[in-house]
Amino acid sequence: MCLTCGCGMPNTHAHEHEHEHGHAHAHGHDHGHTHAHDDGQAGRRLSLEQDILSENNRYAAANRAYWRALGVFALNLVSSPGSGKTSLLVRTIEALRGELSMAVIEGDQQTAHDAQRIRAAGAPAVQINTGKGCHLDAHMVGHAAHDLPLADGGLLLIENVGNLVCPAAFDLGEAHKVVVLSVTEGEDKPVKYPDMFAAADVLLLNKTDLLPYVDFDVAQALAYARQINPGIRAFELSARSGEGLAAWIDWLRTGCEQTRRAAAAAPSVGGCHCSSKTNHG
């Protein structure tokens, strides 16, 4: 939760969902806020932060229950801008096209460029434009998910806004947060942004094809990540060359199969998700 930029204040996100079928929702909210530093204001901000996260977690729980019931393996990809998330998604879609049902939710402050790239690669995508907001939240993701074909045993990939701070605090209902770190960034990113690496279950070290040309210590980067999160799973790969991609793809296959089996073994709760749709309306 960012207490200085105001991104966590209610209704600060301008949502723009752009769909390949031409159906659009636009919700704009604009309001000002001030930065006060007295103890009373700090206390009110802390209370507001707790309220916002509690409300977000309620929507996230509804998303998670819905996706689990459908047998959908949902992942939340987070990183700083330029790490190669979209290129990685394109390569992933190309590798699994025809094998798994896949859908993508794209988060950016502006434009639908990434969603267009995903559709060109062969997967349905919904673009969420957050305006001044610097992260996705569970409510807007729940809306977007209802406009995507989510199949039993399928894969839902959520590409969050490029930001290593605020997305760490917001559960979207995903099975795992996947943090992408490129070798063109500093290897000390995990210790500079510990909340994000603590929240993630998986680290994708991307752009390894550039290692001969950059000053980046892979061993140190992984050591820093495990210092923050000893259980984090790491994959070293290049979305551009395809090097190391097979291990990531196999992990996705396993996650989808395990999620499908868990849904098949769970007691039936019926096919209607009306209550969740109401929650997201």
Side-chain angles (χ1 to χ4, degrees), residues 123-144:
V126 170
Q127 179 78 50
I128 300 177
N129 289 145
T130 61
K132 294 181 180 179
C134 51
H135 61 86
L136 297 177
D137 64 39
H139 183 243
M140 62 178 77
V141 166
H143 269 302

Side-chain angles (χ1 to χ4, degrees), residues 253-264:
R253 289 189 182 105
T254 299
C256 289
E257 178 61 19
Q258 290 176 344
T259 304
R260 185 194 65 78
R261 289 181 179 179

